[in-house]
């Protein structure tokens, strides 16, 4: 392989790292928009359905010519992706907040990258992980813990909510692995659209368990659609397209490592938008998280 080919491959890989970084940023900021919509009176399941419906309609208009997958087996894999990367993950995470502390949920959901690594190792024996990757992931995880505990000095154990948080993290890890398998046979737009479709369908039964219905009057305010548009078109449609490209080219484990940055982005956004205070622990957590991601990529041992 000549030097020009190596440089071209490096530039290509760098692009997919940028995609994963962008996704981690918008998903981190998405908590702010979700919080604003919850405060406006829109339920967590309603927010999920509205953002995914918006993204699905746009994608359907773009990719309407190709509707079906090549086999029933592949269709089943799309259902799994819709469940794990859509309804189970988002609704599980939001429901967990009703049973346990926000600090517990935020910390346990960040187990997704580690669970992705473990599941990938079990399912694909040929994929190996360097010591640098393990060390970097561990550093990043402790960094996330510091970020989450920025405004909390204690943590309580509440089994129901904690188990739901772990289930959400596990479901997203499964989604990343299955989506990578589908990437070998389908283009990213088709995969993303199918995931949104099954994510919407499998979320509908959860409406029966929502405590109160949405106040549709809130949809008359322009700011509501600003937040919904950001969540639906950027955080859902665009981010999922980019994420599927990232895991297809970097691997589920390497791409998922960028998820550690999301709590850091949430912390920064909270400072700038919500004027929330940050302690020295929060700053240390930011440094550890970013450092851990860098170590996992650069330390090849």
């Amino acid at each position: 392989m000549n030097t020009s080919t190596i440089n071209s491959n490096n530039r290509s890989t760098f692009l997919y790292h940028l995609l994963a970084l962008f996704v981690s940023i918008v998903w981190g900021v998405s908590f702010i928009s979700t919080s604003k919509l919850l405060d406006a009176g829109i339920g967590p399941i309603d927010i999920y359905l509205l953002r995914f419906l918006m993204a699905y309609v746009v994608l359907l208009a773009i990719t309407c010519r190709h509707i079906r997958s090549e086999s029933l087996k592949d269709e089943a894999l799309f259902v799994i992706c819709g469940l794990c990367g859509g309804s189970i993950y988002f609704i599980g995470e939001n429901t967990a907040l009703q049973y346990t502390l926000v600090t517990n949920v935020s910390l346990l959901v960040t187990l997704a990258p580690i669970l992705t690594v473990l599941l990938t190792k079990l399912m694909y024996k040929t994929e190996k992980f360097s010591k640098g990757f393990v060390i970097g992931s561990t550093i990043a995880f402790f960094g996330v813990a510091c970020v989450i505990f920025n405004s909390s000095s204690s943590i309580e154990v509440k089994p129901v909510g904690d188990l739901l948080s772990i289930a959400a993290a596990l479901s997203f890890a499964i989604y990343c692995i299955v989506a990578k398998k589908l990437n070998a046979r389908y283009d990213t737009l088709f995969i993303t659209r199918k995931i949104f479709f099954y994510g919407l369908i499998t979320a509908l039964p959860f409406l029966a368990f929502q405590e109160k219905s949405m106040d549709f009057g809130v949809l008359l305010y322009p700011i509501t659609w600003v937040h919904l548009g950001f969540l639906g078109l950027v955080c859902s449609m665009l981010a999922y397209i980019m994420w599927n490209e990232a895991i297809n080219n970097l691997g589920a484990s390497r791409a998922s490592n960028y998820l550690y940055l999301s709590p850091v982005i949430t912390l920064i956004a909270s400072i700038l938008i919500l004027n929330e205070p940050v302690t020295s622990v929060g700053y240390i957590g930011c440094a550890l998280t970013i450092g851990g991601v860098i170590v996992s990529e650069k330390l090849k041992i």
Side-chain angles (χ1 to χ4, degrees):
M1 183 178 294
N2 57 43
T3 304
S4 62
T5 302
I6 294 174
N7 290 335
S8 178
N9 290 337
N10 288 337
R11 286 194 296 269
S12 179
T13 301
F14 179 70
L15 172 63
Y16 296 117
H17 281 290
L18 285 180
L19 292 181
L21 176 61
F22 176 81
V23 172
S24 70
I25 291 173
V26 297
W27 281 349
V29 177
S30 70
F31 284 100
I32 305 299
S33 288
T34 300
S35 176
K36 293 289 187 180
L37 292 174
L38 287 170
D39 291 341
I42 304 179
I45 300 176
D46 294 319
I47 293 173
Y48 165 74
L49 288 172
L50 286 170
R51 65 184 283 187
F52 263 50
L53 179 60
M54 185 182 298
Y56 176 73
V57 169
V58 174
L59 281 175
L60 183 62
I62 298 173
T63 63
C64 60
R65 293 182 180 180
H66 189 190
I67 301 297
R68 298 180 181 179
S69 58
E70 296 175 359
S71 66
L72 289 177
K73 180 181 178 181
D74 285 351
E75 201 70 24
L77 291 178
F78 281 119
V79 173
I80 292 173
C81 283
L83 274 168
C84 296
S87 56
I88 292 179
Y89 174 72
F90 284 101
I91 296 174
E93 181 183 87
N94 292 338
T95 304
L97 292 171
Q98 300 176 358
Y99 295 98
T100 190
L101 302 175
V102 173
T103 51
N104 294 48
V105 177
S106 300
L107 177 60
L108 292 172
V109 166
T110 57
L111 288 171
I114 294 176
L115 292 173
T116 301
V117 171
L118 294 176
L119 287 176
T120 303
K121 185 70 173 179
L122 291 173
M123 295 176 66
Y124 303 102
K125 304 297 183 181
T126 56
E127 185 161 346
K128 298 180 180 180
F129 308 103
S130 67
K131 291 181 181 179
F133 182 88
V134 176
I135 293 172
S137 295
T138 303
I139 293 173
F141 181 74
F142 281 109
V144 168
C146 290
V147 171
I148 300 305
F149 297 145
N150 168 62
S151 59
S152 177
S153 60
S154 63
I155 186 169
E156 299 178 22
V157 177
K158 297 185 177 181
V160 174
D162 293 340
L163 289 174
L164 282 172
S165 301
I166 295 172
L170 178 61
S171 71
F172 195 83
I174 294 172
Y175 155 71
C176 289
I177 295 171
V178 176
K180 178 174 173 56
K181 186 174 182 179
L182 288 168
N183 265 312
R185 296 189 295 279
Y186 301 95
D187 66 79
T188 302
L189 289 176
F190 179 77
I191 292 172
T192 306
R193 194 198 73 211
K194 295 289 281 188
I195 290 171
F196 287 165
F197 174 75
Y198 286 115
L200 285 167
I201 296 299
T202 56
L204 292 177
F206 289 97
L207 286 173
F209 301 96
Q210 189 163 256
E211 293 184 0
K212 58 180 180 179
S213 58
M214 181 180 67
D215 177 12
F216 287 94
V218 73
L219 297 178
L220 298 176
Y221 297 100
I223 189 63
T224 299
W225 288 104
V226 170
H227 289 300
L228 284 174
F230 174 67
L231 291 174
L233 300 180
V234 180
C235 299
S236 294
M237 186 186 73
L238 184 60
Y240 267 73
I241 291 172
M242 290 182 171
W243 187 252
N244 286 333
E245 284 289 337
I247 62 177
N248 184 44
N249 290 276
L250 298 178
S253 302
R254 294 177 72 189
S256 293
N257 210 39
Y258 278 93
L259 293 177
Y260 283 123
L261 295 176
S262 287
V264 177
I265 302 302
T266 303
L267 178 67
I268 295 173
S270 297
I271 298 171
L272 298 177
I273 300 174
L274 302 180
N275 296 317
E276 292 186 353
V278 181
T279 65
S280 57
V281 174
Y283 289 118
I284 291 172
C286 289
L288 286 174
T289 303
I290 295 172
V293 172
I294 294 174
V295 167
S296 69
E297 287 299 322
K298 298 299 183 182
L299 187 60
K300 305 299 182 182
I301 59 174

